Every structure is written in C-alpha cells, then in structure tokens.
Amino acid sequence: MTGFGDDPFVTAVKPLVDAMGGEMMPPDQAGTDDVVLAWEGEDVVAVRLPQLADSLDHILLALERKQGRPLSELDRKAKQEVVRILEARGAFSVRHGVETVAGALGVSRFTVYNYLNRENAAKGE
C-alpha cells in the first residue's frame, strides 16, 4: 500500500480540501467532527473542515490571490464584485462577517452594507 501522502485519491482531493481551508490527515487520526473519505471500501483520508470564521479568512485570501493584490487596493466596482461573491458564498452569515470583510476591503461597515443593499436592489429583492 502507498503512503498516506502518495495515495492518488489523496492527491486528487487535495486541491478541493485546500480550497475549503480544510486539513487532511490519516483516517486513524480523525476526530468525531472530521469527515473520513473512503475509496473502494477502504478509508483513505480524513478531512478536518475549518471553522466558519476561518473559512471566511481563507476565502478572503483566495480572492486576494486571484486579484493579484490586496483587496483594499481594488477600485469600487471590483470591491462591489468581491462583496457579491462573498454574499453568494455565505460570508455575511458568519459572526462579524461584515466587519471582517470591511477590514479586508479597507472600507467601513456602512460601505459594505451599501454594497449589499445595492446588490439586493439590483436583484429586485
């Protein structure tokens, strides 16, 4: 049998786990809240999912990497798009989500709420 890190299944799911901000470990180290993934009837890897607040930080960092610069340096239109993406991903259901996003964008909470209200008005909600 191959080592844990060499397993092709582990290699295949790693980008997804990384994108979620999760942590992979051997199945025998799984805790009660971890998700054990099996392949062909054999437990291959356990995944520890991040806490919601950690997920928001991870999403913000991923958006920053995608933009190629700090989110605070984006223009208003790009910041509005970031808020739209974050809202679609549930970022504002996290406690202090608005404050965290405002800090990352370098704007006030009021501005983030304005962006959200503008987006919801555009949807006709």
Side-chain angles (χ1 to χ4, degrees), residues 21 29 34 54 64 68 116 125:
Q29 295 178 15
D34 297 332
D54 295 336
E64 204 164 84
L116 287 168
E125 292 179 9

Side-chain angles (χ1 to χ4, degrees), residues 24-80:
M24 297 193 318
M25 66 200 71
D28 60 349
Q29 295 178 15
T32 56
D33 292 335
D34 297 332
V35 179
V36 177
L37 302 176
W39 183 253
E40 296 180 347
E42 183 179 333
D43 291 345
V44 179
V45 63
V47 177
R48 180 161 295 148
L49 298 172
Q51 299 299 313
L52 283 176
D54 295 336
S55 289
L56 179 53
D57 290 339
H58 191 78
I59 292 167
L60 288 167
L61 287 171
L63 286 169
E64 204 164 84
R65 279 193 305 274
K66 184 177 180 182
Q67 296 290 333
R69 59 186 165 163
L71 297 177
S72 60
E73 294 179 4
L74 300 175
D75 64 25
R76 182 175 54 85
K77 185 174 173 104
K79 287 179 181 182
Q80 289 172 336

